[in-house]
Amino acid sequence: MPTVSTIEFDKFIASILDSIVKAEERLIQAYVDGLNQLFFEEEGDSLKPRTIKISYRRFIVSEEGDLTPIPEEVVVPLISLVPYRPLSIDDVEIRAGYNIAYVEKGDSTKIIGLPGKKMRRDESIDIDIVIRLKRDEEGVGYGAILNMLSNLSSGGGESE
Amino acid sequence: MSYNISSDLASLPIEMLVAKPLESAVKAQAIAAYTTIQFIQDVGLDEEGNLRTVEITFNRKRVDDNGEPRDEEVQMKVPLLTLVPIPYIRINKVNVDLSFKIRSITVDKTKKSLAVKGSAEGKWPSFSFSIEGSFSSKRSIKTTVDKSAEIDITVEALQDEMPEGMRTVLTMLTEAMLPPEEGGE
């Protein structure tokens, strides 16, 4: 029965950090998956932006001075209507508390006169991992796509 | 073989326990964005994509060509989207607190017993004796292990700003909200 710690703390902490790095990869992947599912749809080998079409009537004043309704239609990319912010790991805190207590009673070296020995070992480890996520800025590419798609929004409609 | 806490520690599924709550936060964000899209489509538009409007009729005073004041009925079709706040809930902060506790108690008991029985008899010059002895050793090792894991997740969400695209659409719709000619469209 070992009376000292057998825990390899360096390896253990490294494994936690490794898990966090992998978790961050999954975090990014989940964000990209969400982005694709929410705002794009597959069209052949490429992705086409999802849009909503809004039909409404605009009123113009005719030459006779009357208000004339003109049907209008605007196709708006969803990405420009709904915010979808990325989250990233802000900081990580790892706390580990380790305790070991070893008590031995009796003596095993003598045979006569002593009934034997009793050893008790209490070992405990408490690990606390705190991960804080914060809202991050969208990537530069996101802004570029957003601007490009916003410019593509088609307005205007047929006049009656 | 005695219990070794490090093997339990190594077997903790830390990777899964760390990744899952983080992944869930991002997915929750996507669900919130999807809910907003649904809201815009369901509340703002009908099945054909036509703008849902609320018709408001009211009278206003106007001065006619003769300079006389008269009541004029005005009808306005106000897009519903311009009347209601659009939910833009987004996650601002997430705290994930993972706690693991492993506690082991090992008791190793060794009990030894020795019994000796002897007898001797004789008369000079013959003499005999006998000794019987027994020795036993019992060892028992008992290990109790308590393991517990706790996950505490705190999510702080807030109302996000309206994106520029939506602001443009609403401005456009508001400008199109001019009152139609008297008596209808």
Side-chain angles (χ1 to χ4, degrees):
Chain A
M1 186 155 61
T3 56
V4 291
S5 169
T6 54
I7 298 168
E8 292 174 291
F9 279 101
D10 51 346
K11 283 187 184 167
F12 178 63
I13 292 169
S15 76
I16 295 174
L17 294 178
D18 183 54
S19 301
I20 289 162
V21 173
K22 284 179 182 159
E24 188 151 39
E25 280 175 24
R26 286 171 71 167
L27 195 74
I28 296 164
Q29 191 55 53
Y31 176 73
V32 173
D33 289 347
L35 197 68
N36 285 339
Q37 284 167 18
L38 283 169
F39 303 127
F40 297 94
E41 56 194 340
E42 281 183 22
E43 196 182 60
D45 293 338
S46 59
L47 292 173
K48 189 180 111 181
R50 285 184 200 274
T51 55
I52 57 169
K53 191 172 75 178
I54 302 173
S55 304
Y56 65 102
R57 286 180 175 197
R58 189 165 59 90
F59 292 90
I60 57 159
V61 182
S62 68
E63 286 176 4
E64 292 78 34
D66 298 328
L67 286 171
T68 312
I70 305 286
E72 293 275 10
E73 198 174 276
V74 64
V75 179
V76 192
L78 285 179
I79 199 169
S80 68
L81 296 180
V82 182
Y84 181 57
R85 317 284 189 198
L87 292 166
S88 63
I89 293 176
D90 193 22
D91 68 77
V92 178
E93 208 178 304
I94 303 166
R95 288 188 294 263
Y98 179 77
N99 282 299
I100 186 165
Y102 185 80
V103 180
E104 187 176 332
K105 285 179 185 170
D107 187 348
S108 60
T109 56
K110 294 181 181 174
I111 296 174
I112 302 169
L114 283 170
K117 68 171 181 174
K118 185 179 173 184
M119 290 174 286
R120 182 189 159 108
R121 191 179 67 152
D122 288 10
E123 192 179 19
S124 67
I125 184 159
D126 291 3
I127 304 141
D128 204 19
I129 304 169
V130 182
I131 305 162
R132 294 183 191 91
L133 294 186
K134 62 160 188 179
R135 180 232 152 168
D136 208 349
E137 292 300 317
E138 292 85 357
V140 180
Y142 184 95
I145 291 172
L146 195 62
N147 282 339
M148 198 172 63
L149 292 177
S150 300
N151 293 336
L152 287 178
S153 303
S154 55
E158 67 254 49
S159 41
E160 279 181 346
Chain B
M1 200 176 115
S2 63
Y3 169 78
N4 191 349
I5 205 167
S6 59
S7 59
D8 256 340
L9 205 58
S11 67
L12 278 176
I14 290 179
E15 195 179 320
M16 192 266 285
L17 290 169
V18 167
K20 278 288 165 194
L22 306 192
E23 216 174 27
S24 303
V26 178
K27 284 183 179 168
Q29 180 108 308
I31 292 168
Y34 182 72
T35 306
T36 304
I37 294 169
Q38 286 295 110
F39 179 89
I40 294 168
Q41 286 180 327
D42 296 348
V43 175
L45 309 171
D46 66 14
E47 290 76 21
E48 279 87 42
N50 296 313
L51 205 62
R52 282 186 205 276
T53 54
V54 178
E55 197 167 310
I56 300 169
T57 308
F58 60 95
N59 288 326
R60 69 177 172 193
K61 296 276 184 206
R62 285 198 82 175
V63 180
D64 64 15
D65 296 341
N66 304 321
E68 296 294 320
R70 68 177 180 92
D71 279 344
E72 182 191 59
E73 191 183 82
V74 179
Q75 283 183 329
M76 281 179 82
K77 286 191 172 180
V78 185
L80 211 52
L81 272 181
T82 63
L83 293 177
V84 293
I86 299 169
Y88 285 121
I89 296 293
R90 73 156 162 88
I91 294 174
N92 195 40
K93 282 179 189 167
V94 180
N95 277 9
V96 181
D97 193 340
L98 303 160
S99 297
F100 311 99
K101 290 184 201 318
I102 303 173
R103 185 167 187 227
S104 79
I105 300 169
T106 306
V107 178
D108 185 344
K109 279 185 189 169
T110 310
K111 196 173 180 180
K112 291 168 183 166
S113 63
L114 179 69
V116 182
K117 194 170 88 181
S119 64
E121 63 178 62
K123 204 175 179 182
W124 183 262
S126 65
F127 188 78
S128 71
F129 67 91
S130 67
I131 295 174
E132 279 175 35
S134 68
F135 171 72
S136 69
S137 175
K138 280 183 193 169
R139 188 180 182 198
S140 67
I141 299 175
K142 192 179 169 191
T143 301
T144 315
V145 183
D146 289 335
K147 287 184 263 185
S148 67
E150 262 180 47
I151 302 180
D152 188 31
I153 303 172
T154 314
V155 179
E156 183 190 297
L158 46 80
Q159 180 78 359
D160 204 353
E161 281 176 18
M162 185 180 285
E164 200 49 46
M166 193 67 203
R167 205 183 295 278
T168 310
V169 169
L170 291 186
T171 306
M172 194 178 68
L173 297 180
T174 309
E175 283 169 1
M177 208 169 61
L178 279 171
E181 57 191 318
E182 272 186 288
E185 295 176 336

